[in-house]
Amino acid sequence: MRALRLPGWKSEPELIEVDEPTPGPGQVVVKIGGAGACHSDLHLMHDFEAGAVPWNPPFTLGHENAGWVHALGAGVTGLEVGQSVAVYGPWGCGTCARCRVGVDPYCENIAAAPAPGGGGGLGADGGMADYQLVPDARHIVPLPDGLDPVRAAPLTDAGLTPYHAIRRSWPKLVPGSTAVVIGVGGLGHVGIQILKATTAARVVAVDTRDAALRLAEECGADLALLSGAGTADDIRRATGGRGADLILDCVGADPTLALGAAAARTVGDLTIVGIGGGTLPVGFFSVPYELSIQTTYWGSRPELVEVLDLGARGLVRPKATTYPLEEAVTAYRQMRDGTLDGRAVIVP
């Protein structure tokens, strides 16, 4: 079969022929219907070096995957060949307290995971191929009626990651509250939709690109602001001087972190989703009182079920452009150049 493989750090992916996988006991092979291209893959190609993460290339890219059950290993029950499914991307050890409740991203025994701290497309073979081997059937989530694999694929990360980050702040996103999304890219534009679908908060979008702000408005943002020196003041004016109850930073660079701290409300949340490599000095007087600052990584398997339900009901629809597997590298180049609008989904 065909597979888009990352041969090494600081290298371009290559489309090559590999053997079609065969499932062992408890495993599932999925025929891929859609595989999302994520900005974090660019970091794998261009920024990471040996030792940066506990795994190394080569492996098949693609950690946002959906398709149809192709083959079942011995002992797998509850699934049928031909069934439409999504693949839960983070793969933990499966036995620690976190994994047992479906929170594999925070696995506490990562040495026993298939790719410590990673998963399919992140150390282990992902879905930018004709077929993907999923090492444990518990990572397979049936698709709800009305949701096809192409639409479902980006929801497994670009939907799940902001959903988890927003869900933890639900108690603060009451009527009269404000949520700010910094960076209206693959995750940010979905985050805006999730905020509108699941909270009463007023949503403010911030980006450096006019096209991204137009996308934010299409997704339901109440206010779209071009990022600049006065953006924090603009947010405070729009909130009556209080600031935002949630800052969702989908960039994570020094300037966006500083903006988040400057625009946040007391007792608010500053949640860092983007891996832009920035840092934020924190001292007693440098951030608002009781501002909670946290990073999040992906989301839980039960949360993925909830996200897929939102997708099936049409409440969350990532803006996606499809590419055949032969043009996956083109999609990544457009993403790198900033000319990709929304999310790219690779269709083998």
Side-chain angles (χ1 to χ4, degrees), residues 168-169 172 244-247 260-261 264-272 280 282 287-295:
R168 66 184 308 282
S169 295
K172 299 181 181 181
D245 300 85
L246 168 65
I247 305 284
R265 187 179 185 180
T266 55
V267 200
D269 285 342
L270 170 54
T271 302
I272 306 165
L280 178 67
V282 175
V287 297
Y289 292 130
E290 290 198 39
L291 176 68
S292 296
I293 302 171
Q294 53 275 317
T295 58

Side-chain angles (χ1 to χ4, degrees), residues 5 32 49 106 135 145-146 158 168 176 187 196 198 200 234 247 265 275 295 312 339 344:
R5 306 271 292 174
I32 296 298
E49 297 178 344
Y106 303 148
D145 292 340
R168 66 184 308 282
L187 270 67
K196 299 300 289 188
T198 67
D234 293 337
I247 305 284
R265 187 179 185 180
I275 55 174
T295 58
T339 59

Side-chain angles (χ1 to χ4, degrees), residues 38-48 332-333 335-337:
C38 181
H39 196 276
S40 60
D41 292 336
L42 295 180
H43 293 288
L44 298 180
M45 299 174 197
H46 306 302
D47 301 328
F48 283 20
Y332 280 119
R333 287 173 180 162
M335 186 187 303
R336 179 196 62 198
D337 296 338

Side-chain angles (χ1 to χ4, degrees), residues 42-231:
L42 295 180
H43 293 288
L44 298 180
M45 299 174 197
H46 306 302
D47 301 328
F48 283 20
E49 297 178 344
V53 289
W55 33 265
N56 289 292
F59 55 85
T60 300
L61 291 167
H63 57 266
E64 294 183 336
N65 305 306
W68 304 272
V69 174
H70 179 68
L72 300 171
V76 176
T77 60
L79 296 171
E80 298 179 356
V81 173
Q83 184 176 4
S84 299
V85 296
V87 179
Y88 180 59
W91 298 341
C93 70
T95 58
C96 74
R98 300 279 171 79
C99 288
R100 285 185 179 275
V101 294
V103 191
D104 286 60
Y106 303 148
C107 173
E108 295 182 308
N109 184 23
I110 62 172
L122 298 168
D125 286 341
M128 288 200 181
D130 295 310
Y131 302 95
Q132 181 185 16
L133 176 66
V134 180
D136 193 315
R138 69 191 180 92
H139 300 312
I140 299 295
V141 179
L143 294 186
D145 292 340
L147 187 64
D148 65 77
V150 172
R151 286 175 52 209
L155 292 174
T156 62
D157 179 12
L160 177 59
T161 296
Y163 181 79
H164 171 77
I166 292 165
R167 195 182 196 279
R168 66 184 308 282
S169 295
W170 275 355
K172 299 181 181 181
L173 300 177
V174 297
S177 65
T178 300
V180 173
V181 177
I182 303 176
V184 189
L187 270 67
H189 87 284
V190 182
I192 292 169
Q193 296 179 48
I194 291 168
L195 284 163
K196 299 300 289 188
T198 67
T199 80
R202 185 185 187 198
V203 179
V204 178
V206 178
D207 204 291
T208 58
R209 301 164 296 150
D210 289 329
L213 297 180
R214 289 193 295 270
L215 176 60
E217 292 172 337
E218 291 173 11
C219 293
D222 299 287
L223 178 63
L225 298 174
L226 196 64
S227 183
T231 305

Side-chain angles (χ1 to χ4, degrees), residues 316-340:
V316 176
R317 293 181 64 96
K319 183 174 183 179
T321 303
T322 58
Y323 298 79
L325 188 56
E326 294 81 4
E327 295 181 13
V329 173
T330 299
Y332 280 119
R333 287 173 180 162
Q334 291 176 349
M335 186 187 303
R336 179 196 62 198
D337 296 338
T339 59
L340 179 66

